[in-house]
Amino acid sequence: MPTRLHKNRKKRGHVSAGHGRVGKHRSHPGGRGNAGGQHHHRILMDKYHPGYFGKIGMRQFHLLRNRSYTPTMNLDKLFNVAGEGVYEAAKAGNGKAPVIDLVDKGYFKLLGGGQINVPVIVKAKFFSKLAEQKIKAAGGACLLIA
């Protein structure tokens, strides 16, 4: 921003430039940054940032987050994810059921929410019991892949 647009230009010639004669404008009177979070800024930290200080639970030294990564989806979204033409192909039948690879689409587990009424072959890492029952009842199959 050019100097002429700074607010301070209006205060030129006025002794304290809006910072008062008694308290004075010192550099960092409360400390820099997050200083004093447990001391003189305690009220602000407790009010607006509860839980900022401290620890919870046990440490796990070699945490492998990938082991618990299991994106899920429900049966009713199966054909939305599969792409265009898959539902029509499944409905037409002709003795062939389309194959839907969920891991390829970014989902590891298929859950049983919703209904399915056409036979499809679904590949995934995990299936819930209800999803498996519904797919088999519709004449499809569940293939487990690693």
Side-chain angles (χ1 to χ4, degrees), residues 70-82 100 102 106-116 120 122 124 126-132 134-135:
T70 310
T72 60
M73 67 170 295
N74 273 313
L75 261 181
D76 54 0
K77 299 279 184 260
L78 188 62
F79 293 109
N80 296 5
V81 169
I100 302 172
L102 289 183
Y107 295 96
F108 287 3
K109 184 170 185 173
L110 183 65
L111 305 176
Q115 300 299 321
I116 188 169
V120 285
V122 184
F126 309 101
F127 293 91
S128 67
K129 283 182 188 170
L130 197 57
E132 198 165 355
K134 288 181 180 180
I135 289 172

Side-chain angles (χ1 to χ4, degrees), residues 1-10:
M1 192 183 342
T3 307
R4 65 194 168 80
L5 297 178
H6 279 270
K7 198 179 267 188
N8 195 47
R9 298 307 307 163
K10 292 216 180 299

Side-chain angles (χ1 to χ4, degrees), residues 16-52:
S16 306
H19 290 290
R21 284 176 184 272
V22 179
K24 300 187 184 55
H25 186 213
R26 302 297 193 202
S27 53
H28 294 279
R32 295 174 192 252
N34 289 336
Q38 290 181 300
H39 306 287
H40 54 286
H41 292 151
R42 157 78 52 91
I43 289 174
L44 179 134
M45 292 302 284
D46 289 350
K47 184 174 181 182
Y48 296 111
H49 308 285
Y52 182 82

Side-chain angles (χ1 to χ4, degrees), residues 83-98:
E84 289 182 26
V86 177
Y87 181 73
E88 287 75 24
K91 208 168 187 177
N94 305 335
K96 281 189 172 181

